[in-house]
Amino acid sequence: NGASYIRCQATSVLLHYALIASLTWMFCEAVQLYRSFVTVFPSTASPYTLAARFAVVGWGVPLVTVVACASSSPESYVTDYVCWIVAGTQILTSGVIAPIAILTGLSTLLWLRVMWALYVHHAHSGPGQQRGARLLRASMSL
């Protein structure tokens, strides 16, 4: 059925966009944490400009990725049993797995850098030097 095929394809594209957008926003949040805790010199940009930049990255990068994938291989978005990207296709590798790995890896690196900055700051803050270690252990449990 043609209408069912189009609905399934649209659902797959929207799911793909939602997945990549959520990870991109996670990366934007990691950048914001890094800017808040690690960066020494404050930005000269206004908060509204920074919010606009994050919005462009958070919504725009996934949009470009999904549009490129969907336009290059629209048939890859429909399987016989589920409305998702066909397994074993280039779209799954380059449009889903690679962005997940890159965004998660970069976000993790930024988070580790923030945790290190917090640890160093609290470890050298006078009495209660064990507080930094406790803070780091507590954040790792999250």
Side-chain angles (χ1 to χ4, degrees), residues 66-142:
V66 171
V67 166
C69 290
S71 62
S72 68
S73 182
E75 67 280 352
S76 295
Y77 280 91
V78 178
T79 68
D80 292 334
Y81 303 105
V82 66
C83 297
W84 184 238
I85 300 170
V86 178
T89 61
Q90 185 67 27
I91 298 299
L92 185 64
T93 305
S94 62
V96 178
I97 296 171
I100 287 173
I102 291 167
L103 290 168
T104 304
L106 290 173
S107 297
T108 302
L109 288 174
L110 287 172
W111 178 79
L112 288 171
R113 179 62 179 102
V114 168
M115 290 299 107
W116 180 254
L118 289 174
Y119 173 75
V120 168
H121 173 73
H122 287 293
H124 301 295
S125 61
Q129 291 180 352
Q130 298 301 320
R131 183 174 181 221
R134 285 194 310 265
L135 176 68
L136 185 62
R137 283 194 301 270
S139 66
M140 291 292 217
S141 68
L142 296 176

Side-chain angles (χ1 to χ4, degrees), residues 18-92:
L19 174 66
I20 303 301
S22 65
L23 291 170
T24 306
W25 276 105
M26 179 183 72
F27 172 71
C28 290
E29 194 61 37
V31 170
Q32 182 59 26
L33 282 172
Y34 179 83
R35 292 176 82 266
S36 297
F37 291 104
V38 178
T39 304
V40 176
F41 300 106
S43 174
T44 58
S46 73
Y48 298 111
T49 304
L50 292 173
R53 288 178 187 166
F54 282 138
V56 167
V57 171
W59 298 119
V61 170
L63 183 65
V64 169
T65 303
V66 171
V67 166
C69 290
S71 62
S72 68
S73 182
E75 67 280 352
S76 295
Y77 280 91
V78 178
T79 68
D80 292 334
Y81 303 105
V82 66
C83 297
W84 184 238
I85 300 170
V86 178
T89 61
Q90 185 67 27
I91 298 299
L92 185 64

